């Protein structure tokens, strides 16, 4: 199908892009790699009157070392994220998960910012950012504000970004010594979309898990933390049995969807199995 007619601007600075969004109001939309937005336009599920193309804003591309954290620009593609040496060294979970998104053709166009702003609960990177307690940087007419991942994903395909705000990047804390990580996802052979995805981080000390953090994809209308399993894993022996037992609580408090790829109970089962696997690898068991 052909999209509904729209106006198009390609600003040359972030300020100009924010101004264009503010002028367009709720009828304006940012376009980055277009991998999610273009299909929606073609299906006429979205019909903005103005597209603000941020693809030329090179300031929003790349990875910067900021001391305790990395700032990954919103326009950085998944392919660039998975190959970036800083990300590989300090935030291996982000690199691993980015390499599991879609296929090479999509990863070369799809931006990290687009994946986060689109807020699909089945997407991989939002769950990873939840586990990492990452900070989203939102720029609007009044300047830039940080938003925790927890407060960023608001509802199904909905974030707390205002109509006139652009996601400029995401600040990801560096993982210090003792931390391990793993992203596990279960998907159909023909497609990489997660039926369920689990991002686990664990800090091991003296044969025990001192701290665990778990983010999950497709276990509700937003990405979620598996808080009950985290509490159960904290202080547990770094052994397969102890971690499997903690993972039994992964689906507590979740509201997984039911669709033709899996019933809600099946997703609950997957969440427990994948959490056990991810925690075991993250804890070096
Ligand atoms: C065939 C295929 C397979 C896929 N498989 C997977 C998969 O396995 N796992 C997975 O996680 N994802 C998957 N995806 C989704 C893909 O990761 C996203 O489509 C992509 O990351 C979105 O980024 P984009 O730059 O293309 O965003 P766009 O499509 O340009 O934009 C998406 C949305 O985000 C908004 N937006 C974009 N950038 C910004 C910004 N900087 N500030 C504010 N708003 C912004 C847009 O307004 C729009 O609403 C797949 C997509 C395709 C087409």
């Amino acid at each position: 199908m052909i999209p509904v007619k729209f106006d198009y601007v390609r600003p040359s600075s972030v300020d100009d892009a924010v101004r264009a969004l503010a002028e367009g109001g709720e009828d304006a939309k940012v376009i980055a790699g277009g991998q999610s937005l273009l299909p929606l336009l073609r299906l006429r599920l979205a019909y903005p009157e103005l597209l603000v193309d941020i693809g030329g804003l090179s300031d929003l591309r790349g990875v910067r070392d900021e001391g305790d954290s990395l700032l990954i620009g919103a326009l950085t593609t998944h392919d660039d994220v998975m190959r970036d040496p800083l990300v590989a060294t300090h935030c291996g979970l982000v690199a691993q998960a980015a390499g599991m998104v879609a296929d090479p053709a999509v990863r070369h166009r799809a931006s990290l910012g687009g994946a986060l702003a689109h807020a699909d609960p089945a997407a991989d990177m939002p769950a990873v950012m939840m586990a990492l307690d990452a900070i989203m940087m939102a720029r609007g007419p009044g300047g830039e504000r940080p938003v925790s991942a927890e407060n960023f994903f608001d509802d199904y395909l909905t974030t707390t970004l205002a109509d006139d705000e652009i996601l400029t990047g995401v600040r990801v804390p560096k993982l210090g010594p003792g931390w391990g990580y793993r992203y596990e996802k279960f998907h159909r052979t023909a497609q990489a979309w997660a039926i369920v995805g689990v991002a686990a981080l664990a800090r091991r000390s003296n044969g025990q898990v001192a701290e665990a953090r778990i983010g999950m994809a497709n276990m509700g209308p937003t990405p979620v933390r598996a808080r009950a399993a985290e509490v159960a894993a904290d202080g547990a022996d770094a052994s397969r049995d102890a971690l499997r037992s903690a993972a039994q609580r992964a689906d507590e408090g979740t509201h997984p969807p039911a669709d033709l790829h899996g019933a809600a109970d099946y997703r609950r089962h997957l969440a427990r199995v994948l959490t056990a696997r991810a925690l075991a690898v993250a804890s070096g068991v």
Side-chain angles (χ1 to χ4, degrees):
M1 217 189 298
I2 298 170
V4 174
K5 265 185 142 180
F6 52 80
D7 289 328
Y8 172 87
V9 291
R10 190 170 162 91
S12 51
S13 73
V14 179
D15 285 345
D16 285 351
V18 167
R19 214 167 291 124
L21 278 181
E23 283 166 17
E26 61 180 20
D27 296 320
K29 216 151 184 30
V30 169
I31 184 160
Q35 297 299 294
S36 287
L37 187 54
L38 284 177
L40 291 179
L41 296 181
R42 293 178 68 112
L43 291 167
R44 299 197 175 193
L45 293 172
Y47 28 85
E49 289 177 7
L50 172 67
L51 280 190
V52 179
D53 183 349
I54 60 169
L57 304 181
S58 50
D59 291 359
L60 302 186
R61 229 175 264 277
V63 180
R64 222 168 53 211
D65 193 330
E66 298 214 316
D68 289 344
S69 60
L70 297 182
L71 181 64
I72 307 179
L75 271 186
T76 314
T77 64
H78 287 72
D79 188 72
D80 286 340
V81 168
M82 69 180 249
R83 293 177 197 283
D84 188 90
L86 283 172
V87 176
T89 304
H90 300 293
C91 306
L93 177 64
V94 176
Q96 189 218 339
M100 293 168 76
V101 169
D103 51 51
V106 172
R107 288 198 295 270
H108 273 87
R109 291 211 66 87
S111 67
L112 179 61
L116 299 174
H118 191 55
D120 189 328
D124 302 300
M125 302 315 281
V128 167
M129 296 306 162
M130 287 290 287
L132 283 161
D133 282 329
I135 304 290
M136 313 295 160
M137 303 307 295
R139 173 101 67 97
E144 196 152 70
R145 69 182 175 106
V147 189
S148 66
E150 185 90 49
N151 291 326
F152 184 76
F153 302 106
D154 196 33
D155 203 346
Y156 183 72
L157 300 182
T158 309
T159 69
T160 53
L161 277 177
D163 288 339
D164 56 3
E165 281 184 319
I166 287 178
L167 180 65
T168 55
V170 53
R171 185 161 283 138
V172 183
K174 290 181 182 173
L175 291 179
W179 281 97
Y181 61 84
R182 180 71 169 185
Y183 188 63
E184 287 280 337
K185 76 169 163 179
F186 191 78
H187 62 93
R188 285 152 286 148
T189 309
Q191 267 192 27
W193 281 105
I195 297 176
V196 172
V198 173
L201 292 163
R203 185 164 58 82
R204 188 173 161 157
S205 169
N206 298 325
Q208 291 190 319
V209 174
E211 192 181 348
R213 294 200 233 129
I214 304 159
M216 296 193 294
N218 229 355
M219 288 298 289
T222 64
V224 289
R225 284 282 283 267
R227 299 275 182 201
E230 290 177 4
V231 170
D234 286 355
D237 286 343
S239 71
R240 270 186 195 279
D241 282 351
L243 295 174
R244 198 177 298 125
S245 163
Q248 290 309 304
R249 302 188 62 188
D251 60 315
E252 272 185 36
T254 63
H255 304 281
D259 55 29
L260 78 167
H261 305 303
D265 277 352
Y266 178 59
R267 284 194 161 86
R268 288 182 183 281
H269 169 74
L270 282 177
R272 296 191 290 263
V273 171
L274 297 178
T275 299
R277 287 183 192 165
L279 275 179
V281 177
S283 311
V285 174

